[in-house]
Amino acid sequence: MSSQTNSRVVSGMRPTGMLHLGHYHGVLKNWVEMQHDYECFFFAADWHALTTHYETPQGIAESSEQLLIDWLAAGVSPSNSTLFIQSHVPQHAELHLLLSMMTPLSWLERIPTYKDQKKKLTGRDLTTYGFLGYPLLQSADILLYRAGLVPVGEDQVVHVEMTREIARRFNHFYGQEAGFAESCEQAIPKMGKKSAKLYRSQRKAFQEQGDGEALLKAQALIDSQQNISIADKERLLGYLEGVSKMILPEPQAKLTKAAKMPGLDGQKMSKSYGNTIGLREEPDALTKKIKTMPTDPARIRLTDPGDPEKCPVWQLHQVYTDDKTHEWVQEGCRSAGMGCVDCKQPLIDAVQAELEPIRVRAKRYENDRTYLRTIINEGSAAATEVANETMDDVRKAMQLYQ
Ligand code: TRP
Ligand code: SF4
């Protein structure tokens, strides 16, 4: 059973270096909006950083704080969201451990990011237990807060999908209520031998392996029964999904509309392409970066007409400037009526205007680390409180308490 009605949001980022405008337009602006409509938990996933950087942990703690500064500068607010660092809430590790007891290895091995990354990140030995468990640690991050929504990029959707399966399996193993299960068990044989057997095997396939088709088949099977009461039908439908007691609700991925932020060279903005504008880029450096951007290569001389479609500057205009400016660019470029230097100026002004308040806010936290740490400590304490509520239920369900 999913929890679409649950308005709690959880998301994290690995602390891997300063954020750029791609992160701002693609992720952070979404977070800033969401914090008004949902109860949000945002954290720096420092343990996730360790799964790939276990040999070089120096810098992770500093990067985590810098990441929090970037968020705060972008307008994520500690009064609207709970902001913290993963390792400051050790319940993430406890839940990860307990979930690891019931997680089939094959679920982790089949995650595409596992194989891809292991191949891509050459030069590092990623045949580790921690790296294989990366998505399960992410499941723990999400389930610990009983999140309804997880804003993530496309590449992370499989991790949220696995989290749903983990939650379902957990609820199936540890969430049964005695009376409910008994009445379901009594209802099953009423369907007749053949259907009862089918029901059992499909229920098992869905609950233990996450087989969605088996669920649909079993639901159709129940619908087609003529000889059992409506109450029994309802019971058996519920029993299929094991919703008798939902200890860990299933979250939904909320796809951040891939606002494809163009970089300085026209490719997607990305650290690995070296084409970024930093969220805290200083004014002079920012101006220089835009001034030296490549333009339509056909415009060698001022008198050569150009084609904005072949120019990375135009792509940025589409993100940053208004319709009137767009017309001015199109007209001036195609008629060779203006030079590229002129064309870039309104863009420089627009990006400067966007970044100015961000820079100012960032400075405040850079210069007052004590204040930043207070925010992080308060966030971690608030997160711990929620985490403990969940862990109490989890420990009880797993019979670790008398
Ligand atoms: N794996 C995510 C990424 O690389 C970061 C992350 C860790 C996360 N835990 C999470 C995202 C929990 C959402 C929810 O981007
Ligand atoms: Fe690009 Fe503007 Fe120069 Fe045209 S005028 S090539 S759009 S920078």
Side-chain angles (χ1 to χ4, degrees):
M1 183 165 149
S2 69
S3 57
Q4 282 144 321
T5 48
N6 174 349
S7 61
R8 204 176 266 164
V9 163
V10 170
S11 199
M13 271 188 214
R14 275 170 306 154
T16 54
M18 305 287 267
L19 300 189
H20 52 66
L21 287 181
H23 299 111
Y24 180 63
H25 288 270
V27 184
L28 290 177
K29 272 164 74 178
N30 267 307
W31 287 14
V32 170
E33 270 174 39
M34 266 188 294
Q35 62 181 348
H36 301 295
D37 301 328
Y38 301 100
E39 187 189 357
C40 292
F41 293 78
F42 298 126
F43 63 95
D46 54 349
W47 280 334
H48 276 107
L50 265 187
T51 62
T52 48
H53 290 66
Y54 59 92
E55 286 182 90
T56 49
Q58 51 277 24
I60 293 181
E62 173 62 17
S63 294
S64 295
E65 290 192 3
Q66 291 297 340
L67 186 60
L68 268 288
I69 293 179
D70 277 334
W71 297 352
L72 291 160
V76 183
S77 147
S79 47
N80 294 320
S81 303
T82 302
L83 307 177
F84 62 102
I85 295 176
Q86 185 184 36
S87 68
H88 295 199
V89 185
Q91 285 80 355
H92 287 246
E94 185 185 358
L95 185 56
H96 178 211
L97 175 93
L98 292 178
L99 295 178
S100 78
M101 304 300 170
M102 45 138 268
T103 301
L105 269 181
S106 61
W107 288 20
L108 295 169
E109 285 162 347
R110 77 178 180 213
I111 298 267
T113 44
Y114 175 63
K115 292 180 220 139
D116 289 357
Q117 293 280 96
K118 223 165 74 174
K119 256 193 234 137
K120 228 163 77 190
L121 300 177
T122 46
R124 276 190 219 137
D125 181 2
L126 294 179
T127 54
T128 57
Y129 182 53
F131 187 66
L132 178 66
Y134 183 111
L136 189 64
L137 178 56
Q138 186 164 348
S139 298
D141 296 339
I142 296 165
L143 297 175
L144 189 57
Y145 302 96
R146 295 174 152 135
L149 288 176
V150 186
V152 283
E154 199 137 18
D155 61 320
Q156 297 290 310
V157 171
V158 284
H159 294 169
V160 180
E161 284 301 318
M162 192 192 82
T163 304
R164 294 166 60 83
E165 287 171 17
I166 295 282
R168 200 180 302 141
R169 192 169 156 94
F170 184 95
N171 295 331
H172 166 58
F173 284 146
Y174 310 115
Q176 301 290 334
E177 272 172 343
F180 179 75
E182 270 162 29
S183 42
C184 292
E185 287 300 332
Q186 280 164 12
I188 295 173
K190 294 182 196 163
M191 290 191 286
K193 238 191 193 153
K194 206 171 137 217
S195 298
K197 197 171 159 210
L198 208 56
Y199 176 89
R200 285 215 164 87
S201 68
Q202 280 161 344
R203 175 169 181 266
K204 191 160 183 260
F206 175 65
Q207 293 195 345
E208 294 182 10
Q209 305 300 332
D211 182 345
E213 249 175 60
L215 173 65
L216 291 177
K217 279 192 198 145
Q219 284 168 339
L221 176 73
I222 295 167
D223 284 340
S224 70
Q225 295 299 313
Q226 314 267 328
N227 300 326
I228 59 175
S229 68
I230 292 180
D232 274 344
K233 278 192 180 180
E234 287 301 315
R235 219 168 254 138
L236 291 177
L237 283 172
Y239 198 44
L240 270 182
E241 297 188 70
V243 292
S244 49
K245 191 169 176 205
M246 205 175 33
I247 299 163
L248 300 175
E250 289 178 38
Q252 301 269 349
K254 187 178 190 299
L255 256 192
T256 22
K257 283 182 259 98
K260 255 222 211 100
M261 181 70 193
L264 293 167
D265 57 359
Q267 300 185 80
K268 179 182 170 215
M269 189 177 284
S270 159
K271 197 168 82 175
S272 53
Y273 297 148
N275 62 358
T276 62
I277 296 175
L279 192 62
R280 294 183 235 168
E281 196 80 54
E282 288 297 335
D284 290 349
L286 171 58
T287 300
K288 194 169 157 215
K289 276 190 175 177
I290 297 180
K291 279 195 168 156
T292 53
M293 272 178 79
T295 58
D296 177 0
R299 283 206 83 182
I300 299 161
R301 276 173 246 100
L302 204 59
T303 48
D304 297 330
D307 179 359
E309 298 307 324
K310 294 182 182 141
C311 177
V313 177
W314 167 241
Q315 290 193 42
L316 278 184
H317 266 292
Q318 287 171 294
V319 179
Y320 277 98
T321 61
D322 59 18
D323 289 350
K324 239 178 94 194
T325 313
H326 292 173
E327 273 169 42
W328 171 77
V329 172
Q330 287 287 344
E331 155 65 24
C333 181
R334 291 180 193 280
S335 67
M338 73 164 155
C340 294
V341 176
D342 294 335
C343 179
K344 287 174 174 179
Q345 194 55 49
L347 189 58
I348 293 172
D349 296 341
V351 184
Q352 293 285 16
E354 178 178 76
L355 291 196
E356 180 55 20
I358 294 179
R359 278 191 293 250
V360 170
R361 274 197 296 265
K363 285 262 156 38
R364 179 165 161 230
Y365 299 105
E366 284 164 12
N367 296 334
D368 192 350
R369 285 300 188 95
T370 315
Y371 180 51
L372 176 72
R373 287 186 186 144
T374 307
I375 291 174
I376 295 174
N377 290 340
E378 283 179 4
S380 301
T384 299
E385 236 175 80
V386 177
N388 271 332
E389 280 173 26
T390 307
M391 286 317 295
D392 264 348
D393 289 348
V394 166
R395 294 182 203 118
K396 264 187 217 136
M398 291 185 83
Q399 315 288 321
L400 296 166
Y401 280 167
Q402 285 295 351

